[in-house]
Amino acid sequence: MNPKDFKLCGYNRKYYNNLKHFEKTYGVKKFNRLIKRYNFVIFVRNPIERLISGFMHLCYNNIKKENYYCNECKKNFTCFVNILEKRLWQILNHNRIPYTKHKEFVYNYHFYPQTWSCDYYKHHKEFTYIKYNSSDKESFSNNIAKILSNSHVSNETSNFIKKMINDVKTDHITFSQNETTIYKNMLYNDSLLLQKVCSIYYFDFIQFGFEFPEKSNASEENEINSINKTNHSLKNLHPIPIINRTLAKEYIRLFFLPSLKLGICFIGKTGSFVTYKIFCYLKKKKNKMNQNKLTSCKMDGKNYDNLANLEKNYGVKNFKQFYKKLNLVRFVRNPIERLISGFIHLCYYGVDKNVQYCYGCNKNLTCFVNVLEKRLWQTLNHKVLPYKNNEEYMYSHHFYPQTWGCEYYKTHNKFTYIKYSSSDKASFSNNISKLVLNSNVSNKTLNFIKKRINIIKPHTTVSKKKTTIYKNMLYNDLLLLQKVCSIYYYDFIQFGFEFPKECKN
């Protein structure tokens, strides 16, 4: 075997090319069938090593050349990271179109999170992930050998490739350079910058099993001691993921109107009090238009109940078939408005004078947010059992992320999402009207419902002075606001709510 054959090969549109050309060459359907039959591999790298390597190769070492990629920061690493983060947020919020030119592609290819590449969001289960470390060629070559062996490549070829891996040197190798060590130390000695880098690549660390830097994680003791003040540790700035399991079917509230082919799942502080009464009204066979108010109805195990009871009464298979036939709806709310509304209603004022839900924080919003965040992480990591009593349900129903409710992780594509705002009754009643009209409800019934929406006053907090005070308190505490944005990160993203500008910088 000739070592000279160990070199790069050109595009040939059949074996090595980009996804667009592959689909064009094979045809989309044939390509999708083909991709299912192959063993696909992605090599992943520690996010910090990858960032430093890319920065040294494309920015630092190329600064004197015509083609360098420094985000207009020259050799300023802090500036580079800040602009990278800003660019990623712009793309997430559709404020920037990536890949408009080759330069943008280079930034993406070398610096964007690895979980953003290779259609990870839809193909992640189809890949085998192998960790690459430029300082550990032996481990890398052994992993390559395993792949080749599984694909029935001869030992002779496999051994040749292993030898070439140990001998080959890339043109842009950065591992042994003194400057690389200098920039790495610079990063690790700047705790805020390190936290930002770990936030940018948070899911690369999580999904691919890389260890977070020790300096970026708060110890359990520090977390407890800082419960009444905003914690500066990276752990408390991490976006909280969407939970990928059902916590308790007993606390998923569903309401069905089979005759209207309509169904709803309730989440606290999203207008559920009003929509629940509307569904109760529509459920009645003979609606009295002269009644003074919309009334509540009892759970009956058939139309309105929790998921566990509904599955029990229908039978799981029948329930799933029935479920598929309905137009399913969820009302969602701006996460910060929902948090403040829930806090004022259930903590500051309480259900009554003797029943308050404050996590033991006595009207302290900072303490409340810290405990809530800790509770969510504990639940994610199976360290606490949610819903062990009604009190825990009240917290989850009103304060847990909306992307944690209604089995969002597996049913999100089945629902239509309607935004609710307590300060915009006109928009809310119009959305209700569209929903009901699509189910062929009479105009007479519709007008009655719209009228009642404008009259009904649940435990509203929007006009209370305390609501404004606590909202201002939150917006004046940058770190606390960022923590709230991290807790409800996916509520903002999935339901299209705008992040506060303080959370973007």
Side-chain angles (χ1 to χ4, degrees):
M1 294 185 178
N2 191 346
K4 291 183 179 180
D5 291 333
F6 196 78
K7 60 183 180 180
L8 296 176
C9 51
Y11 284 114
N12 60 12
R13 295 196 174 211
K14 194 71 175 177
Y15 298 104
Y16 173 48
N17 214 313
N18 62 56
L19 179 61
K20 183 178 179 180
H21 287 157
F22 272 129
E23 288 182 340
K24 185 178 180 180
T25 301
Y26 285 95
V28 176
K29 289 185 178 180
K30 185 177 179 181
F31 176 74
N32 286 337
R33 288 197 302 269
L34 184 71
I35 205 171
K36 290 179 181 178
R37 290 159 43 194
Y38 279 69
N39 296 320
F40 279 93
V41 178
I42 294 181
F43 287 91
V44 292
R45 188 176 185 180
N46 179 289
I48 292 178
E49 288 184 8
R50 177 173 172 258
L51 171 66
I52 296 291
S53 175
F55 179 81
M56 298 307 298
H57 165 217
L58 294 164
C59 176
Y60 188 92
N61 291 334
N62 278 8
I63 197 74
K64 295 180 181 179
K65 301 177 183 178
E66 188 173 331
N67 293 322
Y68 64 92
Y69 302 91
C70 294
N71 276 335
E72 312 302 328
C73 291
K74 295 186 177 179
K75 296 182 180 180
N76 187 323
F77 186 62
T78 302
C79 168
F80 182 90
V81 170
N82 285 333
I83 292 183
L84 172 63
E85 182 193 43
K86 183 178 180 181
R87 193 180 298 244
L88 293 172
W89 277 113
Q90 288 173 332
I91 292 170
L92 273 173
N93 291 321
H94 304 281
N95 293 330
R96 185 185 188 94
I97 300 174
Y99 315 129
T100 52
K101 51 188 176 182
H102 176 72
K103 194 168 189 177
E104 185 69 27
F105 163 73
V106 173
Y107 283 119
N108 159 269
Y109 190 68
H110 293 89
F111 299 109
Y112 285 16
Q114 295 162 86
T115 44
W116 281 34
S117 299
C118 299
D119 278 346
Y120 178 85
Y121 71 99
K122 65 178 179 181
H123 292 311
H124 61 278
K125 292 182 180 179
E126 298 167 16
F127 286 96
T128 297
Y129 299 93
I130 296 177
K131 293 180 180 179
Y132 164 75
N133 187 336
S134 60
S135 63
D136 187 2
K137 286 188 175 182
E138 183 178 358
S139 175
F140 179 63
S141 62
N142 287 337
N143 284 324
I144 290 284
K146 289 179 184 178
I147 295 172
L148 298 177
S149 176
N150 291 336
S151 297
H152 308 294
V153 173
S154 70
N155 288 334
E156 184 183 8
T157 301
S158 180
N159 289 332
F160 170 76
I161 290 173
K162 286 181 68 175
K163 182 179 183 301
M164 294 310 300
I165 288 173
N166 291 319
D167 293 342
V168 73
K169 289 186 178 181
T170 61
D171 294 334
H172 49 262
I173 190 164
T174 56
F175 177 75
S176 61
Q177 295 181 2
N178 291 332
E179 290 86 351
T180 301
T181 304
I182 291 171
Y183 273 91
K184 193 170 184 178
N185 290 338
M186 186 189 303
L187 173 61
Y188 276 85
N189 288 326
D190 186 337
S191 61
L192 291 177
L193 185 63
L194 181 61
Q195 288 175 6
K196 182 170 288 190
V197 168
C198 288
S199 294
I200 289 172
Y201 298 113
Y202 173 77
F203 284 104
D204 282 5
F205 282 101
I206 294 294
Q207 298 298 95
F208 305 133
F210 291 106
E211 191 73 24
F212 280 100
E214 288 184 9
K215 288 187 178 182
S216 70
N217 291 295
S219 67
E220 188 74 13
E221 181 181 357
N222 286 337
E223 192 176 347
I224 293 170
N225 290 338
S226 64
I227 209 73
N228 283 308
K229 64 180 185 291
T230 304
N231 198 320
H232 290 231
S233 72
L234 174 67
K235 185 175 182 181
N236 292 334
L237 297 177
H238 286 163
I240 290 184
I242 298 171
I243 200 162
N244 63 353
R245 67 183 190 274
T246 303
L247 293 176
K249 291 183 178 181
E250 291 79 3
Y251 292 111
I252 298 175
R253 297 287 170 85
L254 299 167
F255 203 143
F256 301 127
L257 298 172
S259 61
L260 302 178
K261 294 183 179 179
L262 194 61
I264 191 169
C265 185
F266 293 113
I267 295 289
K269 309 310 295 181
T270 60
S272 56
F273 183 82
V274 179
T275 50
Y276 155 61
K277 289 195 171 187
I278 291 170
F279 266 62
C280 287
Y281 177 76
L282 292 171
K283 178 187 171 186
K284 297 175 183 177
K285 293 182 179 179
K286 294 182 179 180
N287 299 314
K288 297 179 181 180
M289 299 305 166
N290 60 351
Q291 68 184 66
N292 294 323
K293 59 182 180 179
L294 297 173
T295 57
S296 301
C297 51
K298 295 181 179 180
M299 290 187 175
D300 59 6
K302 194 69 176 176
N303 296 94
Y304 172 48
D305 214 322
N306 64 60
L307 179 58
N309 286 338
L310 287 166
E311 286 184 342
K312 183 178 179 180
N313 290 331
Y314 279 92
V316 175
K317 288 186 178 179
N318 289 335
F319 176 76
K320 286 182 178 178
Q321 291 174 350
F322 168 72
Y323 198 59
K324 290 178 181 178
K325 296 177 182 178
L326 296 170
N327 296 318
L328 297 169
V329 179
R330 274 187 62 186
F331 286 88
V332 292
R333 187 177 186 180
N334 179 289
I336 292 177
E337 288 184 10
R338 178 172 173 258
L339 169 67
I340 296 294
S341 175
F343 180 82
I344 295 297
H345 168 214
L346 295 166
C347 176
Y348 190 90
Y349 289 105
V351 178
D352 57 47
K353 291 182 179 180
N354 299 319
V355 181
Q356 295 173 314
Y357 298 93
C358 292
Y359 277 132
C361 290
N362 192 27
K363 301 182 181 181
N364 184 323
L365 180 63
T366 302
C367 168
F368 183 91
V369 170
N370 282 330
V371 177
L372 172 63
E373 183 197 41
K374 181 180 179 181
R375 195 80 178 173
L376 293 171
W377 279 114
Q378 288 174 328
T379 303
L380 270 171
N381 294 321
H382 303 273
K383 292 181 179 178
V384 66
L385 291 174
Y387 314 126
K388 61 183 178 181
N389 52 40
N390 185 62
E391 181 177 302
E392 189 65 31
Y393 162 71
M394 290 295 288
Y395 286 119
S396 72
H397 190 63
H398 295 90
F399 299 107
Y400 281 20
Q402 295 163 86
T403 45
W404 280 35
C406 300
E407 294 190 308
Y408 179 85
Y409 72 99
K410 68 177 181 180
T411 63
H412 60 278
N413 290 327
K414 298 177 182 178
F415 282 89
T416 297
Y417 297 93
I418 298 175
K419 292 181 179 178
Y420 164 77
S421 174
S422 59
S423 61
D424 188 0
K425 285 189 175 181
S427 176
F428 179 62
S429 62
N430 286 336
N431 283 325
I432 290 286
S433 299
K434 291 177 184 177
L435 178 66
V436 174
L437 273 175
N438 290 337
S439 298
N440 300 317
V441 172
S442 69
N443 286 330
K444 188 177 182 181
T445 301
L446 177 60
N447 290 331
F448 173 77
I449 290 172
K450 289 180 70 174
K451 182 180 178 182
R452 300 316 304 175
I453 288 173
N454 292 320
I455 296 174
I456 195 169
K457 289 186 178 181
H459 34 258
T460 182
T461 55
V462 73
S463 62
K464 296 184 183 294
K465 291 182 180 179
K466 291 297 179 184
T467 301
T468 305
I469 291 172
Y470 274 91
K471 191 171 184 178
N472 290 339
M473 187 188 302
L474 174 60
Y475 275 84
N476 288 327
D477 186 336
L478 177 62
L479 291 174
L480 184 64
L481 181 59
Q482 289 177 345
K483 181 174 287 190
V484 169
C485 288
S486 295
I487 289 172
Y488 298 113
Y489 174 82
Y490 283 101
D491 283 5
F492 282 102
I493 294 293
Q494 299 297 95
F495 304 131
F497 291 105
E498 188 73 22
F499 280 98
K501 62 181 181 180
E502 294 84 355
C503 292
K504 295 180 181 180
N505 299 325

